Amino acid sequence: MTDPSPASKETQHFQSEQHVQNALTYADNIIATLREPFVVLDKSLRVRTANAAFYRDFHVSKEETEGRFVYDLGDGQWDIPQLRTLLPQVLSNSHPVEDFEVDHAFPALGRRTMLLNARRFPPESSDPDFVLLAIEDITDRRGAEAAMKHSEIRYRRLFQKAKDGILILDADTGKVIDANPFMTALLGYSHEEFLGKELWEIGLFRDIEQSRTAYLQLQEKGYVRYEHLPLESRSGHKVEVEFVSNVYAENDHQVVQCNVRDITERRRLQRQVQEQAAALADLDHRKDEFLAMLSHELRNPLAPILNAALLLRLHSNRNRQHGVENPVLHQSAAIIERQVGQLTRIVDELLEVSRITTGRIQLQRETVILGLVVENAVATVQPLIDQRQHELTMSLPTEAIWLHADAARLEQVLVNLLTNAAKYTDQGGHIWLTIQQEREEAVLRVRDTGVGIPLEILPRIFDLFTQAERSLDRSQGGLGIGLALVQRLVEMHGGTVKASSTLGQGSEFVVRLPVVSPPRQQASSLPSETDHLTGSSLRVLVVDDNVDTVTTLAMLVQESGHDVRTAYDGSAVLEMALDYQPNVVLLDIGLPGLNGFEVAKRLRQQPTLKNIVLVAMTGYGQESDRKRSQEAGFDSHLVKPGDFGKVLQILATVSESSPR
């Protein structure tokens, strides 16, 4: 056999070179379309070509890459032991797996995970010309997969260890496909017994229809919640749960997750709290009834005592006018009046407790002059100040300060503050009352030289029943209610009250209230003290089951120039009124047999008595009592022991309107 001629060898070499070039051109055309890095290696594992993604991702140039030994690329960054082992095996066709992962730290990229795909080309050749190396960066994918796996592990751990029941249902069939241990233990089934069951079959709903209705609602809305769902376990044990379910997609399939929380103990505690609240409400109601009854029982004897004191003072004044002086009689009447006022204030404070705690204090606001309120408050407390021989220094503004306030309640604030100053200041002390306007506020200051307030008491001085330690004789008295009432009333007027004190050096209370502009037309002056003496004589019927109250009140009315008759029980009032035809009836409400409300209604039903003035004289002074009086037909509601001046004002008004 002869050797091929030189010409034929040259032809073969040319054909071989052409074949390689064609292969490279083919490879270039393919890799140009790839977005992932791609490298073509010759059989000596040198780079023949690479795509733009390779140069871009690994920060190398074409000149630094082509013709270089693959392990020398990028200053040796591709010198990976796993790659050195696997590439020769792929080249020799001794490695069946063409995909393999490489976890390697690249200088320009950091640690990355690469998925390499190495293929022989041509694949059928026993001596391939090239190795095609596709490179895919799967770092993020592997990270996401690891996170997902970690999340699944954590979810499964939570699923298994959760102290709430968890059910997973197939959204199409509504049957259980998974349940956690808490759920199975709650209803007394095994995990296997749960699988494939519908809700009603495992005690979640009482019957099939109820279960299917709930499931249809879930399918329509994608969410169902039951605050309270009674269940029954397999053993018949009653369980109360909170049930929440929602629909979501899992692996392209709709599933339902039901969270079931055992609230049996919580519901028991709630019922216990509700029962306790009901008991407390009942106790509070009974307390209010007791206080109302107590105030009534206390006011009933106070009324004749005060009436008797007024009669004593009236006769003492008349005797003085005739030159007969009886200082003992005059002083005794003043003492009785003062102490009755003190007892009345204590009774009122007892009733204020429930009003403070329940927020039932209501204000009757109008535009008032602060100076008039101050004058009335000082007049009320003046007897106590005089008794303790205090010096009262007042500083009042020259111009009127106007407030939108309840004058009676605001007077109550000042009376409480001045009374405290008088009580807790040693005899012969000094009290300052200062009123001034600062910008848009009226500022009232009450300062004394009294015993002061201990530092530990000062922060809670406005709390109910708060008092500093007292001596055994309790000479100052008080229930610890007054300052709490002061704060509540001031705040209801949109103001503030603050206390400051140094133990042994007195105290100061500062009240700030918002001022308003004066009204365009000022109210007419108040009637004089002698106004009640004008007008014609009236026929007055006095009705009370307390003989002393009837006697003393009738005497006071007679002394005022009116004709009086008396009655002691409700059943006799109607007949007496029809015969007597009174102009005014001073009627007690708490009468035996027929009470004052019923008497008032019957009087109003008589045509000949339709114009009489009905005045409730009662020991019941709560707002509900006043409302009930109005509904029964009373024109006025006076609380015992009452201010006889108000009775005189009513009589004067009726007298002026009556024919002479």
Side-chain angles (χ1 to χ4, degrees), residues 25 35 39 43 51 75 145 213 348 397 489 537 643 656:
T25 301
R35 294 184 179 180
V39 179
K43 56 186 176 182
N51 68 346
D75 296 328
E145 290 173 352
T213 300
D348 289 339
L489 290 176
S537 175
D643 181 357
E656 290 175 359

Side-chain angles (χ1 to χ4, degrees), residues 99-166:
D99 290 332
F100 55 92
E101 287 187 18
V102 171
D103 187 28
H104 183 64
F106 293 89
L109 304 178
R111 180 161 295 278
R112 312 297 293 174
T113 301
M114 302 290 182
L115 180 65
L116 306 181
N117 182 284
R119 292 179 179 272
R120 295 154 47 93
F121 186 82
E124 66 279 358
S125 173
S126 61
D127 186 19
D129 296 313
F130 306 106
V131 174
L132 307 180
L133 182 62
I135 306 167
E136 182 183 359
D137 188 343
I138 61 171
T139 306
D140 293 342
R141 186 201 306 171
R142 288 292 182 261
E145 290 173 352
M148 179 66 73
K149 184 176 181 180
H150 177 71
S151 177
E152 289 177 353
I153 293 172
R154 184 172 58 184
Y155 168 77
R156 179 53 58 175
R157 186 182 298 118
L158 291 173
F159 184 81
Q160 295 293 332
K161 300 296 183 182
K163 295 305 179 183
D164 289 339
I166 303 174

Side-chain angles (χ1 to χ4, degrees), residues 555-571:
M555 291 170 66
L556 285 171
V557 174
Q558 282 180 330
E559 292 288 343
S560 303
H562 302 287
D563 185 67
V564 182
R565 289 192 185 180
T566 59
Y568 301 98
D569 63 85
S571 58

